[in-house]
Amino acid sequence: MNQTIWKWHFIREAVKESFIKLNPFALWRNPVMLIVEIGSIIATFIFIGNIVKGLPFGFEMQISLWLWLTILFANFAEAFAEKAGKARANSLRQSRSQADAKKLLNEKGDIQIVSASELRKDDVILVSEGEMIPGDGDIIEGTALVDESAITGESAPVIRESGGDRSGVTGGTKVLSGIIRLRITANPGDTFLDRMIGMVEGANRQKTPNEIALEILLIALTVLFITVVAVLPAYAHYMGIAVSVVVLVSLLVCLLPTTIGGLLPAIGIAGMDRLIQHNVIALSGRAVEAAGDVNVVLLDKTGTITLGNRMAYEFLPVHGIEKNAFVKSAVLSSLADETPEGRSIIVLAKKELQVKGKDIRAPHESHFVSFTPQSRMSGIDIDNCKIRKGALDAVEAFIAEQGGSVSDNIRKDVENIARKGDTPLVVAENSKVIGMIRLKDIVKEGISQRIAHLRNMGIRSIMITGDNPLTAASIAAEAGVDDFIAEAKPETKLEAIRKYQDEGYLVAMIGDGTNDAPALAQADVAVAMNAGTQAAREAANMVDLDSSPTKLLEIVEIGKEILITRGALTTFSVANDVSKYFAIVPALFGSVYPVLGVLNIMRLTSPRSAVLSAVVFNALIIPLLIPLALRGVRYRVKSVSALLTRNILIYGLGGLLLPFIGIKLIDLLLIFLHLV
Amino acid sequence: MINLCIYSLFLGLSLVFGGILIGRYMANILTGNKGKFLTWLTPFENLLYRLAYIDAGQEMNWKTYTWALLAFNGIGLVFLFALQLVQGILPLNPDHLKSVRWDTALNTAVSFMTNTNWQSYSGETTMSYLTQMLGLTVQNFLSAATGIAALLAVIRGFIRKNTQLLGNFWVDLTRTTLYVLLPLSIILTVLLISQGVVQTFQPAISAETLEGGRQTIAVGPAASQIAIKQIGSNGGGFFNVNSAHPFENPNLFTNFLETFAILWLPTACVFMFGYMLKNQKQGNVIFAVMLMLFLISLGAALIAENQGNPLSERAGIAHGVNMEGKEMRFGVFHSVIWAVATTATSNGSVNSMHDSFMPLAGLVCMFNMGIGEVAFGGVGVGLISMIFYIILTMFLAGLMIGRTPEFLGKKLGPFEMVMAMIALLAPIVALLIIAGIAIAVPEGLASLNNTGAHGLSEILYAASSACGNNGSAFAGLNADTRFYNILLGIGMLVGRFATILPALALAGSLAEKKLIPTTQATFPTTGALFAIMVAAVVIIMGALTFFPFYSLGPILEHLVLYR
């Protein structure tokens, strides 16, 4: 995205738009720039007046020019930031389906062809292979392979099926195979795609509370500096100094927080755009800011922290049984087991037996026993040898049937495995237990680093699981989460969020299922996975198109970066003012009181060159900082004080000193070019 | 030199010790925790509530609290105004002083009600003993108590959560007066009387001088008023020359006592803040910020003043020691420390003539008032102003660490920002406009004793003093004209209520918010980084506002003087 954003036609269009944005009614949203515009108009009138009166006008012309440029630069920053979003919105718009839809009229399957724009909520439609899905909906029947690349940019198709948490489909995506019945969940104009277009385009961009608070600060500073400049002539007059209006306007514009005032809209837009680059669509700007403040995050164990299913981890033959023989028996018992656990046994066995790649086949004279809810065992009968695999109580029943019994030692071993939070499976051959398989929840690779990363940001991670406390504790310890809630029911999440919110915490949560919807609606920052149900996406305030459960880290970082960028540029802008005083005040009063020349610590050449240099610096700093505003000030995970010290040194102290150098250099250049 | 260092150290240590002691006492007593000592006063306190039909248990929301405060101050204003207009026909007027001119009376009423205690009049020739005692002294107590009551509401805004209630204004006012201001004033009065400060109802004494001339020596019930004038950040003198008068401040010991009293309660308020928050560190660190600002001011003023005056040097005075306008019994050091202490708090009493200070020392005093007196500040309101500066600081600091800003567990949103900006900028804007008007119209310029840069300083100083609710006078400007009485009166009202009203609104908004727990990601507001940032914000804000004006006043005067 960063390569694509600096395209020439973007720049060209943005330049055009910066002139359109000169319209004072458009600038009304940005009071600082509006004042600059009024100042520019005044300066321009004086410049024209001087031409008419035949007075020298070179200085007034240059000041007017640079004042107008100041506004244009600010407009450009905003227009340019909007461009990236607009381009993306356009490509999204193309995928908005104008196709026809097959509307089901009744249960019998009578179909009427209607246009997609006539579809209403709760209509039921039929979509078959190769067709575009005409609107957002939930699959009520069937399974389909869906190409969602138009929305997610991800080329691999995904499976969507009725029931469960993968039932939501989005209008504008395409069914590659399968036939599905959909219940439409959004009216045209209100679909996910529509909202997404609105968000990326910035059409329904509302100012966040923090943006408003910052704007209040900027307006207050504007009022203060207008007062300073407005009353200054009275004092000067008393001292016998006549000050030129053009210089006063220049002083005002230099003192106004034009840098942050000009870049503020761009910072917000660019922040949202960075989220989009991470394939996250924020449905409210407020949520992005809140993300920077999150201090508790709820994580589902399954799918987020662990791989999702229990995996075979260890073969434990009982005393007297050779390990390889046991592994082989275990494999035989699992050949008919299509559950993820069963498959993981075969995978582990292949590793143990070092028969990678080769198939393990059952002997010809064998009979598979599949898992049934009644027997709760799977296994195989080879001749007279019956191998069974299952939980202890099920296998115990089988052994008793065969006339055997389970020894206390085995019972104890099984208990030990369970105590460690793992799941023991017992394998029996006829009337004897031959060993156990330890199944384990496998924690995702890299998850503990990410959780540690969260902790360093000051965010507590809470794992939620339906497991018993023992199992939960062991996974929690391995993943390094700060706390866990075990034996959670669907409503537990909602309760947990409420509890943390009552204590004053800001809670983030990631969810996908329909039963997550209430909790998502309650959470301050709610990220729904795009693969999740429609209900979850409706309840959330952000949608992660990648459906990556740890996307929250990036979201929090971007939220923080937006705020840091605002703060840093505000500090920079205000710190800049000090040097501008030292440039302009001696220029204002020095002609009558040459002793005040002491204040001209930059040794600027002449009063006019000093004023012009300050105005030029003030204007140029805006385009120079556009890349920073768009990219954002990087958030670094370190202690809060270290982060603040760093930013104060760079943007506070830097903002204090940099303009002294900049103004001096511009002064030298102006003299060199004989512009003053 | 060593003596002065020991003196400063002693003053500093007594302040820390005394401030902590009284701060803790206030935190207890003002929240209704009387302890064993004072329970015997409870029936008396309750009697006062019964007499005034006040339900002491009824807490107020911020609007009710504000109305109570405004009504109370309004009544005080009208009463004091009327009292001056009719003092000529009232008793306790042994010197038969006439009723006060209406504009002077109005200015004085506003001045004492707003805790400014700017005096455009001359005490001994204008105000009867009755007016001094029943009018001015009473307002000295009540305006100080009002400031502390407002602070209490703000502190409750930070402590409480999910409520609208901020306490009861009448109870806060009564307790502050009864348990804090009265006892401390009585102790100080007695100490001052013991040192020769006058306290009498006798009329002025007519004495024969050694040369045979006649001299009228004004006396009166001075000590009681002087005690509260220093303790309550008031500063309005009984006599015209204020604490430079030997009957107000006879010797070095009383000078020490009064310097201490000037800084005592403002300091105590900061420690009280820490105790009430149950976060003493927070109180301590704000004290450190204020101390830092105070020491910077003091250092700058001492350097400027000890440079010596080239004009005196040319006139043959050794090293040009700038003794013009200073009392021989105090000298440069004690005059400067007093000047800084009174302008950095909102006290405004003087023991030397600030008009005669070196230009940069005058600038320091002006700056202290211009930024709204936050180096300890006035009782109650000084800390309030500091809290507004802290809100501004925390807004920037919060952003720069990537969080929406917060302070003491309260999120700072648009509403808090509006209030902070009004409170910080309205007095400054009023100051610049008022001085700008005065310097542009003949009525303003007619009162000047000086021309050029010094004249500009005189007008700027008067406006800073009024809008900062300080009351300190540069002198050299005849402020007892209808023009200045009204203009500066407006300044005092803006300075006072544009601080207190936003503060109460802020308190109301904060109390309704929830308390956010402190985590690893919260910026620690009890560290050195916080202290330095707040001090820097105060100084930079002030410098950005006043630089062009000071450059035409004291800075220009300095440059010309030392050319």
Side-chain angles (χ1 to χ4, degrees):
Chain A
M1 208 73 181
N2 266 337
Q3 291 96 23
T4 58
I5 195 171
W6 293 101
K7 275 180 192 161
W8 273 112
H9 72 271
F10 273 12
I11 296 180
R12 215 166 40 232
E13 281 171 46
V15 168
K16 202 163 74 191
E17 221 161 289
S18 11
F19 281 94
I20 297 169
K21 281 173 188 269
L22 283 178
N23 177 357
F25 294 101
L27 271 185
W28 188 246
R29 272 172 69 92
N30 193 340
V32 177
M33 281 301 143
L34 187 67
I35 300 294
V36 178
E37 181 158 50
I38 293 170
S40 312
I41 292 171
I42 294 173
T44 310
F45 268 111
I46 292 172
F47 150 60
I48 294 170
N50 280 8
I51 297 181
V52 174
K53 285 186 242 160
L55 297 168
F57 58 84
F59 175 69
E60 287 75 9
M61 181 183 75
Q62 291 186 64
I63 293 282
S64 312
L65 179 74
W66 283 103
L67 293 184
W68 285 111
L69 280 176
T70 310
I71 313 169
L72 288 174
F73 288 151
N75 287 349
F76 176 80
E78 185 176 357
F80 191 61
E82 284 169 349
K83 276 294 156 228
K86 285 212 171 118
R88 187 160 173 119
N90 281 338
S91 75
L92 282 175
R93 229 178 240 120
Q94 283 161 9
S95 55
R96 187 150 58 179
S97 171
Q98 297 307 322
D100 292 337
K102 286 181 259 175
K103 186 173 163 188
L104 279 169
L105 295 176
N106 49 35
E107 286 301 310
K108 278 181 278 174
D110 294 333
I111 287 173
Q112 184 195 2
I113 305 287
V114 298
S115 119
S117 59
E118 286 170 40
L119 285 177
R120 291 293 175 271
K121 227 170 156 174
D122 292 330
D123 284 350
V124 176
I125 59 167
L126 201 69
V127 186
S128 23
E129 223 162 276
E131 287 178 356
M132 192 79 98
I133 296 174
D136 291 2
D138 259 329
I139 301 178
I140 48 177
E141 202 183 305
T143 305
L145 200 59
V146 181
D147 173 13
E148 295 191 334
S149 59
I151 289 188
T152 61
E154 181 63 54
S155 53
V158 290
I159 289 177
R160 294 280 177 262
E161 57 194 350
S162 63
D165 289 340
R166 300 283 179 273
S167 63
V169 290
T170 311
T173 57
K174 196 172 175 185
V175 175
L176 295 180
S177 72
I179 298 178
I180 45 174
R181 274 187 193 201
L182 279 185
R183 175 177 290 115
I184 293 294
T185 51
N187 291 330
D190 202 27
T191 63
F192 182 65
L193 196 62
D194 291 314
R195 282 198 287 161
M196 204 166 133
I197 291 171
M199 282 316 294
V200 296
E201 218 174 21
N204 35 10
R205 187 168 62 89
Q206 282 179 326
K207 286 180 183 168
T208 61
N210 179 258
E211 243 177 311
I212 294 170
L214 181 53
E215 236 165 47
I216 289 164
L217 171 65
L218 299 185
I219 291 171
L221 288 175
T222 305
V223 171
L224 175 68
F225 290 130
I226 287 178
T227 312
V228 167
V229 170
V231 301
L232 194 56
Y235 296 76
H237 175 77
Y238 162 84
M239 293 299 289
I241 307 166
V243 287
S244 108
V245 176
V246 172
V247 175
L248 276 182
V249 169
S250 307
L251 176 62
L252 174 61
V253 172
C254 285
L255 292 179
L256 289 179
T258 44
T259 313
I260 179 67
L263 295 174
L264 188 57
I267 295 170
I269 301 168
M272 295 296 245
D273 197 57
R274 279 207 301 287
L275 271 182
I276 295 169
Q277 287 170 38
H278 280 92
N279 263 347
V280 176
I281 304 293
L283 302 173
S284 96
R286 197 185 279 242
V288 182
E289 263 171 24
D293 283 349
V294 161
N295 23 38
V296 169
V297 53
L298 296 192
L299 299 169
D300 267 332
K301 187 204 76 177
T302 310
T304 308
I305 291 173
T306 63
L307 284 172
N309 298 302
R310 285 158 183 265
M311 301 290 207
Y313 179 74
E314 199 178 6
F315 293 107
L316 300 163
V318 296
H319 192 71
I321 305 272
E322 204 220 332
K323 181 148 186 197
N324 273 6
F326 169 62
V327 172
K328 273 180 192 150
S329 300
V331 168
L332 288 174
S333 73
S334 305
L335 282 175
D337 188 352
E338 280 298 313
T339 63
E341 287 92 343
R343 268 177 267 158
S344 78
I345 292 173
I346 294 175
V347 170
L348 182 68
K350 280 181 177 175
K351 212 191 281 173
E352 293 262 318
L353 301 174
Q354 314 213 320
V355 286
K356 237 183 225 164
K358 271 184 267 174
D359 265 0
I360 299 175
R361 286 175 199 281
H364 286 296
E365 304 297 313
S366 58
H367 167 68
F368 289 120
V369 181
S370 299
F371 181 90
T372 65
Q374 287 77 36
S375 70
R376 291 187 294 128
M377 285 186 301
S378 61
I380 191 167
D381 292 346
I382 308 167
D383 299 332
N384 282 335
C385 178
K386 291 180 177 188
I387 305 176
R388 292 290 183 275
K389 178 197 76 192
L392 178 63
D393 53 341
V395 174
E396 206 173 356
F398 167 77
I399 286 176
E401 213 174 90
Q402 304 291 315
S405 68
V406 177
S407 75
D408 281 348
N409 273 348
I410 290 169
R411 228 181 274 279
K412 211 172 280 169
D413 286 348
V414 166
E415 247 167 59
N416 278 338
I417 294 174
R419 190 162 301 137
K420 284 183 186 153
D422 299 336
T423 308
L425 286 180
V426 179
V427 182
E429 208 174 301
N430 295 332
S431 62
K432 260 179 25 208
V433 174
I434 56 169
M436 283 148 285
I437 304 168
R438 183 202 290 270
L439 293 182
K440 210 174 156 132
D441 243 345
I442 304 290
V443 170
K444 279 187 178 175
E445 218 171 299
I447 193 78
S448 58
Q449 284 99 302
R450 305 216 100 193
I451 284 169
H453 200 76
L454 280 174
R455 187 174 311 110
N456 290 335
M457 288 173 156
I459 301 171
R460 280 159 55 86
S461 47
I462 316 290
M463 182 184 86
I464 297 203
T465 172
D467 291 345
N468 63 60
L470 229 57
T471 314
S474 107
I475 300 284
E478 194 176 337
V481 293
D482 295 286
D483 204 352
F484 65 89
I485 299 174
E487 287 170 349
K489 294 183 278 292
E491 61 271 20
T492 314
K493 282 183 193 170
L494 184 60
E495 283 162 17
I497 292 176
R498 287 222 177 103
K499 190 187 109 216
Y500 281 113
Q501 284 176 337
D502 283 345
E503 289 168 26
Y505 291 98
L506 243 74
V507 185
M509 114 154 226
I510 300 180
D512 52 2
T514 299
N515 58 25
D516 284 338
L520 283 170
Q522 180 72 28
D524 299 285
V525 175
V527 184
M529 307 224 198
N530 193 45
T533 60
Q534 195 65 29
R537 293 202 307 194
E538 289 282 334
N541 43 30
M542 279 183 225
V543 178
D544 174 20
L545 301 176
D546 292 342
S547 303
S548 150
T550 53
K551 194 50 91 49
L552 198 71
L553 266 178
E554 280 84 15
I555 297 174
V556 168
E557 276 186 1
I558 290 171
K560 283 185 183 293
E561 281 173 358
I562 293 176
L563 296 174
I564 295 176
T565 312
R566 271 187 210 143
L569 290 182
T570 308
T571 309
F572 183 85
S573 201
V574 175
N576 269 205
D577 283 357
V578 175
S579 62
K580 291 165 187 167
Y581 265 139
F582 279 102
I584 296 180
V585 166
L588 266 175
F589 309 137
S591 52
V592 180
Y593 298 100
V595 281
L596 285 174
V598 181
L599 298 177
N600 181 7
I601 52 177
M602 285 172 271
R603 303 279 127 215
L604 303 176
T605 318
S606 70
R608 294 194 151 190
S609 77
V611 174
L612 192 54
S613 308
V615 171
V616 171
F617 178 85
N618 190 56
L620 284 183
I621 198 72
I622 296 176
L624 287 179
L625 289 175
I626 289 178
L628 181 71
L630 297 187
R631 196 184 63 228
V633 175
R634 275 278 306 284
Y635 169 72
R636 284 151 212 273
V637 182
K638 43 168 117 181
S639 88
V640 170
S641 297
L643 182 68
L644 184 59
T645 311
R646 185 195 149 84
N647 286 335
I648 287 177
L649 285 180
I650 296 177
Y651 300 99
L653 203 61
L656 206 65
L657 300 178
L658 177 76
F660 280 103
I661 303 164
I663 292 174
K664 176 70 187 171
L665 289 178
I666 293 170
D667 180 74
L668 291 175
L669 192 67
L670 289 176
I671 296 301
F672 178 73
L673 296 174
H674 295 287
L675 286 170
V676 279
Chain B
M1 189 68 189
I2 289 187
N3 284 344
L4 296 182
C5 288
I6 292 171
Y7 174 88
S8 312
L9 200 66
F10 183 67
L11 179 65
L13 286 177
S14 346
L15 268 177
V16 172
F17 183 72
I20 290 176
L21 195 74
I22 292 297
R24 192 167 174 172
Y25 166 76
M26 284 166 75
N28 277 320
I29 200 99
L30 297 179
T31 48
N33 238 335
K34 285 200 195 66
K36 278 182 208 148
F37 274 111
L38 292 165
T39 32
W40 57 275
L41 271 170
T42 308
F44 180 62
E45 186 189 334
N46 289 338
L47 179 70
L48 290 178
Y49 298 141
R50 261 205 308 282
L51 287 177
Y53 292 98
I54 288 163
D55 178 2
Q58 179 88 41
E59 292 223 353
M60 302 170 170
N61 64 22
W62 80 265
K63 283 183 183 145
T64 322
Y65 201 96
T66 306
W67 281 120
L69 185 147
L70 285 177
F72 181 72
N73 278 327
I75 293 168
L77 176 77
V78 172
F79 175 77
L80 182 54
F81 180 53
L83 183 66
Q84 294 174 75
L85 291 184
V86 297
Q87 74 168 11
I89 54 167
L90 292 177
L92 266 181
N93 186 6
D95 291 318
H96 307 291
L97 296 173
K98 286 194 300 264
S99 292
V100 183
R101 210 174 69 218
W102 75 267
D103 56 294
T104 311
L106 184 63
N107 180 283
T108 307
V110 168
S111 168
F112 278 74
M113 180 266 285
T114 57
N115 197 255
T116 313
N117 307 51
W118 166 267
Q119 296 167 294
S120 67
Y121 64 90
S122 159
E124 54 269 51
T125 58
T126 316
M127 300 295 174
S128 73
Y129 292 169
L130 184 75
T131 310
Q132 294 264 27
M133 284 167 53
L134 191 62
L136 304 183
T137 306
V138 167
Q139 278 304 319
N140 271 344
F141 276 99
L142 299 183
S143 64
T146 302
I148 292 179
L151 175 63
L152 288 173
V154 172
I155 297 176
R156 291 189 190 113
F158 279 108
I159 300 172
R160 297 181 176 183
K161 55 175 180 178
N162 310 329
T163 176
Q164 297 203 324
L165 302 178
L166 292 174
N168 182 311
F169 173 73
W170 308 112
V171 172
D172 290 341
L173 189 80
T174 310
R175 285 183 182 155
T176 306
T177 314
L178 194 61
Y179 299 125
V180 183
L181 298 176
L182 266 175
L184 295 184
S185 300
I186 292 171
I187 296 170
L188 187 60
T189 305
V190 172
L191 282 172
L192 289 177
I193 292 173
S194 79
Q195 296 299 307
V197 176
V198 293
Q199 177 80 358
T200 174
F201 284 141
Q202 296 298 313
I205 298 161
S206 191
E208 194 172 330
T209 65
L210 289 175
E211 293 164 348
R214 293 216 69 81
Q215 184 185 4
T216 306
I217 301 172
V219 292
S224 54
Q225 188 177 336
I226 289 154
I228 185 62
K229 111 177 174 191
Q230 307 300 29
I231 282 173
S233 300
N234 292 288
F238 191 90
F239 304 109
N240 186 32
V241 292
N242 211 308
S243 293
H245 196 296
F247 282 174
E248 282 208 15
N249 187 9
N251 55 39
L252 264 186
F253 178 60
T254 56
N255 196 65
F256 168 79
L257 277 183
E258 292 186 31
T259 313
F260 173 76
I262 286 166
L263 296 166
W264 194 12
L265 274 197
T267 313
C269 281
V270 181
F271 291 114
M272 174 183 85
F273 182 59
Y275 282 111
M276 283 182 74
L277 286 176
K278 299 204 167 47
N279 182 355
Q280 275 158 265
K281 262 186 157 176
Q282 192 63 62
N284 298 349
V285 82
I286 294 178
F287 174 76
V289 174
M290 292 175 162
L291 187 66
M292 193 159 32
L293 291 169
F294 185 82
L295 291 178
I296 293 172
S297 290
L298 184 63
L302 277 174
I303 290 170
E305 205 55 28
N306 280 315
Q307 259 182 336
N309 189 339
L311 297 179
S312 309
E313 207 159 2
R314 254 171 266 161
I317 294 165
H319 310 301
V321 176
N322 186 34
M323 279 302 288
E324 184 196 295
K326 295 191 177 65
E327 288 292 302
M328 288 306 290
R329 60 186 189 282
F330 302 135
V332 172
F333 178 80
H334 293 285
S335 302
V336 170
I337 213 173
W338 183 289
V340 172
T342 51
T343 50
T345 65
S346 78
N347 188 287
S349 60
V350 291
N351 73 351
S352 62
M353 295 303 112
H354 295 187
D355 201 19
S356 302
F357 274 9
M358 298 310 296
L360 293 188
L363 183 148
V364 168
C365 294
M366 241 185 267
F367 187 79
N368 280 337
M369 296 188 290
I371 55 174
E373 293 121 355
V374 288
F376 308 120
V379 285
V381 287
L383 182 54
I384 288 178
S385 298
M386 186 46 110
I387 287 173
F388 281 122
Y389 275 110
I390 291 174
I391 287 177
L392 179 59
T393 311
M394 290 309 289
F395 188 79
L396 292 177
L399 287 180
M400 279 198 281
I401 57 167
R403 287 172 68 85
T404 57
E406 61 191 287
F407 178 53
L408 297 176
K410 298 287 189 176
K411 280 280 170 210
L412 306 173
F415 187 79
E416 287 71 31
M417 208 56 196
V418 172
M419 293 309 145
M421 287 295 112
I422 292 175
L424 290 180
L425 297 186
I428 292 179
V429 167
L431 185 175
L432 292 179
I433 292 175
I434 283 173
I437 293 173
I439 210 161
V441 299
E443 290 90 335
L445 297 172
S447 290
L448 280 180
N449 281 351
N450 288 279
T451 53
H454 197 73
L456 189 140
S457 297
E458 284 172 350
I459 288 180
L460 208 51
Y461 196 100
S464 305
S465 178
C467 298
N469 291 130
N470 190 290
S472 175
F474 214 35
L477 176 83
N478 173 24
D480 193 17
T481 65
R482 194 180 302 170
F483 174 77
Y484 276 108
N485 275 335
I486 292 173
L487 197 63
L488 296 179
I490 294 171
M492 292 187 270
L493 287 174
V494 172
R496 180 70 165 182
F497 291 104
T499 308
I500 283 190
L501 299 188
L504 293 175
L506 174 85
S509 158
L510 291 180
E512 281 186 41
K513 291 179 189 245
K514 54 185 183 184
L515 268 172
I516 300 155
T518 310
T519 66
Q520 203 185 338
T522 317
F523 171 49
T525 54
T526 49
L529 186 59
F530 168 83
I532 293 169
M533 267 196 89
V534 174
V537 164
V538 172
I539 293 174
I540 289 177
M541 273 285 290
L544 287 182
T545 311
F546 297 117
F547 183 72
F549 304 98
Y550 290 171
S551 70
L552 284 179
I555 293 176
L556 178 60
E557 199 187 348
H558 171 86
L559 290 173
V560 170
L561 195 59
Y562 287 92
R563 182 163 39 181

